[in-house]
Amino acid sequence: MKAISVARVPPAVRPTTLVTEASPKLDIDSGCAVAIVDEGRLIGPLSKADVIRRVVEAGLDPAATTVGEIMTTPPVTVTADAETEDALKLMRASRQCFLPVVDDRGDLKAWLTICGLFDEEVDTLSEQIGTLANWIGADGPGG
């Protein structure tokens, strides 16, 4: 299955956005991260972990620090033709709960999250189990 089928609208901010303005968008539905975009092009993500390591632990003022100063670069991304399994492997390898989907120019098109992909996999497996249970039960008692 193509991973893009469960992608969501990208949570995005500009590089000049203050950390205090971006922080409320770092929720579970966004994979605890936002995309930093400049004229539609992804320049890097910002995660909760980035805020903790690069702002809180560094003693920076989140009301005076821009997301562009602390974002992760270069971004780890996939294209729209990525398979779900490959997207999950890449998320695990890069130790992030989100994955930006970009086109060949680097423009941000969608946003994958580990929770979104997991929910889709659970739904698929549930359907398969239901189909198998119906098939087994259709033969009736005694075979």
Side-chain angles (χ1 to χ4, degrees), residues 34-107:
V34 295
I36 313 304
V37 295
D38 189 20
E39 296 182 15
R41 183 152 297 136
L42 176 70
I43 57 175
L46 176 75
S47 68
K48 281 185 178 180
D50 294 331
V51 173
I52 291 168
R53 281 192 308 271
R54 299 178 184 152
V55 178
V56 177
E57 291 176 2
L60 298 178
D61 179 2
T65 305
T66 66
V67 296
E69 296 173 70
I70 63 164
M71 68 184 176
T72 299
T73 57
V76 175
T77 64
V78 293
T79 56
D81 62 346
E83 296 291 332
T84 299
E85 183 177 343
D86 295 330
L88 287 167
K89 286 179 181 176
L90 186 54
M91 283 183 191
R92 183 171 182 193
S94 60
R95 302 182 57 83
Q96 59 190 36
C97 297
F98 60 91
L99 198 54
V101 179
V102 297
D103 64 14
D104 58 351
R105 293 185 37 216
D107 289 345

